[in-house]
Amino acid sequence: MPASIAGNRKPLPQGVLAPLPLTAIRPRGWLYERIANVDGATLEDRLMKACLLRENSLLGAAGDEVAWLLTHDGDLTEEEIRALMRYHGVSGDKRAPLRLFQHAKALLGALTGGARWGAARAANASGLLHMALWLYNLTGRKALLELCRLIKAQAPDWMSTFHVFSQTRPVLAPPPMDADAYYRVHGPTVAASLKTPALQALFEGGLKNETAFRAGWEKLTRYHGAAHGLFNADPLLGGANPSAQVDPETVAELIRSLEVLLWALGDPSIGDLLERIAYGALPAARGRQAANQLMPAPPGHPVGMAQAAASLWMATQDEGLAVIGYAPCEVRWRVAGQPIQAVVETGYPFDETITIHVRMKAPARFPLYLRVPAFSRGAFAKVGDEEPIACGQGFEVIERVWQNGDKIELTLPMRVQTVRRYHQTISVERGPLTYVLPVTAQTRWNLALLPAHGFEVTRQGEVPMITAYGAPVPGWRKSGERPAPPPVAPEVSGMLPVRLMPYGMTDARIAQFPVGNSTFTG
């Protein structure tokens, strides 16, 4: 969370995107309810919720904790650092960066004096790197860049790790917890460290730093990915078997990393990843989850939507605004010297249309960036009664003199598609949502899909459901309380309708299906 883009000081390059303060974004509709109904697990989460929902007290129950952090002089934890950064973005209280600078100064003194970190602290250095760069954007003090270099020297070489990524199998024999190797396969640490090379690129450059996230993500999802949109880790990397689990901490850390990666790299495809997780794995993160899961997980602390909501809109380098995620919300900001209010009305991710109402006191010219997801073919945008604009994937930029009352309608066509996965299974997707077979005690879960017979989208209230066609696979049985690995192209006979619903609405599910080799000829 850097300062405003104009606050960047050389030699740091200006970012394409910068987050808006939480005070600029107000959730509406279902997003408001989702945030209100989940209690944050961390101080940062509670601060974000209090601000986004405009609670009477800005800090609420977190007030005493923040007051203590601002006055005590001991070491700060990763959670406390994030909380103080969020608090400053909300309140502008100068005591927060002063307290963080005090912490950074102590770190610099210790590292300059030859201190060595243990494996756990070194592997989780991404948060300290983030803090140092955030402070540098505020202060321009070059000693903070030296701190960045010293932090990098302590940490594992995450850039090389993500480019090479040798852990292609599930971790069956965990390394000792005091070893660097343990944290290179530890899900929450890997998720947090995906942002590290991109942060390094801000102070030292380098194409390999800039491309490390994409290279690492491709390998993580190839060897450990599943239909929930993440990589399996419970908490160590668990392979691509859809019955392997991912723990809530990995989900939370990945959401945090994707938020940072958005402004560090400016890559709109990161918004695609963030949205798929926010609408699938995140609401299902009430405990350990798996793509194929027969029993609800024992209740854990759910992961809140506040982290994802903070990235819905961002400021742009050319003094415009970028819409990163589509959910009902209201945004208030200043662009081109004018205050602007943008109100987003949408049934997305269930519906294809997003409407943005622009309200401003005087006309102003600025660019508006609309993220067009990779899933959408034939997307188009329309301003008022003007001719539609065909939109390619990535950012579609509409630059014009905006008037009070302007209305933008963005249409993102959603078609049902299948994605090939582990053991030649498939998952079913529509737009940013993965569709699954919900599992209860009465559900026949061991089914193969027959995608050649097509899919039909129907509605249950406001929620689109998908009817597919499948057949029983009696030989696909349980392994303990989990489904065994799906069989490859099982022989099946007959056909029956299979009703699928969005992943995030389920506690137990089958999200990856074998493809049946059907003898049905009707």
Side-chain angles (χ1 to χ4, degrees), residues 62-122:
D64 290 342
E65 295 175 77
V66 172
W68 183 79
L69 290 179
L70 290 171
T71 55
H72 95 291
D73 57 1
D75 283 343
L76 295 171
T77 66
E78 295 282 322
E79 176 189 333
E80 291 168 344
I81 289 169
R82 292 196 307 266
L84 286 175
M85 291 164 66
R86 291 286 190 191
Y87 171 71
H88 178 259
V90 168
S91 67
D93 190 333
K94 294 181 180 180
R95 293 178 298 167
L98 287 173
R99 176 69 185 91
L100 290 169
F101 186 77
Q102 178 190 38
H103 183 65
K105 186 176 179 181
L107 285 174
L108 180 62
L111 293 175
T112 303
R116 297 295 301 173
W117 292 345
R121 188 176 192 185

Side-chain angles (χ1 to χ4, degrees), residues 3-247:
S4 64
I5 291 174
N8 278 354
R9 292 169 166 80
K10 294 181 180 180
L12 292 191
Q14 290 189 339
V16 176
L17 301 170
L20 298 180
L22 294 174
T23 50
I25 300 172
R26 186 166 191 173
R28 296 161 61 102
W30 67 260
L31 182 61
Y32 183 98
E33 297 299 323
R34 180 74 58 81
I35 295 172
N37 291 333
V38 177
D39 293 327
T42 68
L43 175 57
E44 178 193 16
D45 293 336
R46 294 192 293 277
L47 282 168
M48 295 177 73
K49 177 179 176 179
C51 182
L52 287 168
L53 301 188
R54 309 298 197 267
E55 293 185 354
N56 290 335
S57 169
L58 175 65
L59 302 176
D64 290 342
E65 295 175 77
V66 172
W68 183 79
L69 290 179
L70 290 171
T71 55
H72 95 291
D73 57 1
D75 283 343
L76 295 171
T77 66
E78 295 282 322
E79 176 189 333
E80 291 168 344
I81 289 169
R82 292 196 307 266
L84 286 175
M85 291 164 66
R86 291 286 190 191
Y87 171 71
H88 178 259
V90 168
S91 67
D93 190 333
K94 294 181 180 180
R95 293 178 298 167
L98 287 173
R99 176 69 185 91
L100 290 169
F101 186 77
Q102 178 190 38
H103 183 65
K105 186 176 179 181
L107 285 174
L108 180 62
L111 293 175
T112 303
R116 297 295 301 173
W117 292 345
R121 188 176 192 185
N124 287 280
S126 60
L128 294 174
L129 196 60
H130 185 191
M131 177 198 71
L133 291 170
W134 183 84
L135 285 170
Y136 179 78
N137 272 8
L138 287 175
T139 67
R141 297 195 183 189
K142 292 186 177 180
L144 291 162
L145 297 182
E146 177 60 21
L147 177 58
C148 289
R149 287 186 279 270
L150 291 170
I151 291 171
K152 180 192 171 186
Q154 294 279 339
D157 184 357
W158 287 110
M159 182 269 287
S160 296
T161 296
F162 291 135
H163 275 290
V164 176
F165 201 77
S166 59
Q167 189 64 45
T168 60
R169 296 182 180 276
V171 179
L172 300 178
M177 291 186 66
D178 59 353
D180 170 79
Y182 178 87
Y183 295 96
R184 292 180 192 250
V185 296
H186 181 251
T189 302
V190 172
S193 300
L194 279 165
K195 63 181 175 287
T196 300
L199 292 171
Q200 291 171 186
L202 293 178
F203 68 87
E204 67 181 15
L207 182 62
K208 284 195 171 183
N209 277 333
E210 294 173 2
T211 56
F213 163 70
R214 185 56 60 184
W217 184 255
E218 190 277 330
K219 293 177 176 67
L220 279 165
T221 52
R222 182 197 306 174
Y223 299 118
H224 304 279
H228 44 54
L230 292 89
F231 50 89
N232 291 320
D234 184 27
L236 304 184
L237 296 178
N241 182 344
S243 295
Q245 296 180 320
V246 58
D247 67 314

Side-chain angles (χ1 to χ4, degrees), residues 246-268:
V246 58
D247 67 314
E249 189 179 351
T250 298
V251 179
E253 287 293 353
L254 185 58
I255 291 286
R256 294 186 187 106
S257 284
L258 291 175
E259 179 188 0
V260 173
L261 283 159
L262 272 167
W263 60 258
L265 298 177
D267 180 353

